[in-house]
Amino acid sequence: MPELVLPVHVEAPPERVWAALTDWRGQGRWMPATDVEVVTAAEQGVGVRLAARTGVPLPWRRGRHLGVLDTMVVTEWDPPRRVVVQHTGRIVRGPGIFELTPAGGGTDLVLTERWYPPFGLLGRAGWPLARPFVVVGFRVALRRFARFARTYPG
């Protein structure tokens, strides 16, 4: 199973980082080309269901993208230390783990993504080609998140 482990330091206390991280609808402000919708009545805690659309926005269809629908469910919730979302879509599947640790007047955030590649053998064979692009995308997102969380009103 492919795995990425990417850290970022955020100049904000863990409680603020947690609030920014679990503001699911706000993810589009730091995750490139992504809009997130909460599809359950509850917005916090285990069982929350999310639908993220990542790709090129279609200007004539508000909230729609030409890209990937990433459905998720929150499976672990330990504020302000750890949250796990299970990706349940056809393309993106596997756990996404966010772990927060107080550090140096701020917070160290580690994102771990584990995927079950789609398309069987073809997906597994293609992962080494896709990996550098995925890493760059997540690094950009985490840098944007650090700026977003630093000033998040919480």
Side-chain angles (χ1 to χ4, degrees):
M1 174 187 326
E3 177 179 87
L4 294 179
V5 179
L6 299 169
V8 68
H9 181 76
V10 182
E11 298 286 333
E15 294 76 17
R16 182 180 305 157
V17 175
W18 178 266
L21 182 65
T22 60
D23 173 359
W24 306 118
R25 295 176 203 280
Q27 266 195 10
R29 290 183 262 173
W30 56 271
M31 186 67 74
T34 300
D35 290 322
V36 178
E37 176 185 358
V38 179
V39 295
T40 52
E43 296 199 19
Q44 304 282 298
V46 171
V48 169
R49 292 192 173 277
L50 309 164
R53 289 168 183 82
T54 301
V56 178
L58 300 175
W60 61 90
R61 299 215 41 208
R62 185 183 160 125
R64 298 292 182 188
H65 291 77
L66 180 60
V68 175
L69 172 62
D70 179 9
T71 57
M72 295 164 270
V73 62
V74 176
T75 58
E76 291 184 42
W77 184 265
D78 183 17
R81 290 177 288 280
R82 178 180 164 98
V83 63
V84 178
V85 296
Q86 181 70 33
H87 299 276
T88 59
R90 289 178 31 193
I91 303 294
V92 183
R93 295 178 293 143
I97 304 157
F98 295 93
E99 296 176 297
L100 290 71
T101 307
T107 304
D108 285 340
L109 169 64
V110 176
L111 166 62
T112 302
E113 288 281 352
R114 296 183 185 124
W115 288 291
Y116 303 103
F119 314 120
L121 184 58
L122 181 63
R124 287 191 297 280
W127 171 245
L129 299 173
R131 187 181 195 285
F133 299 100
V134 173
V135 168
V136 166
F138 273 112
R139 285 195 175 138
V140 166
L142 288 173
R143 282 195 301 270
R144 288 175 65 177
F145 175 77
R147 288 191 302 274
F148 173 73
R150 187 174 58 238
T151 60
Y152 188 78

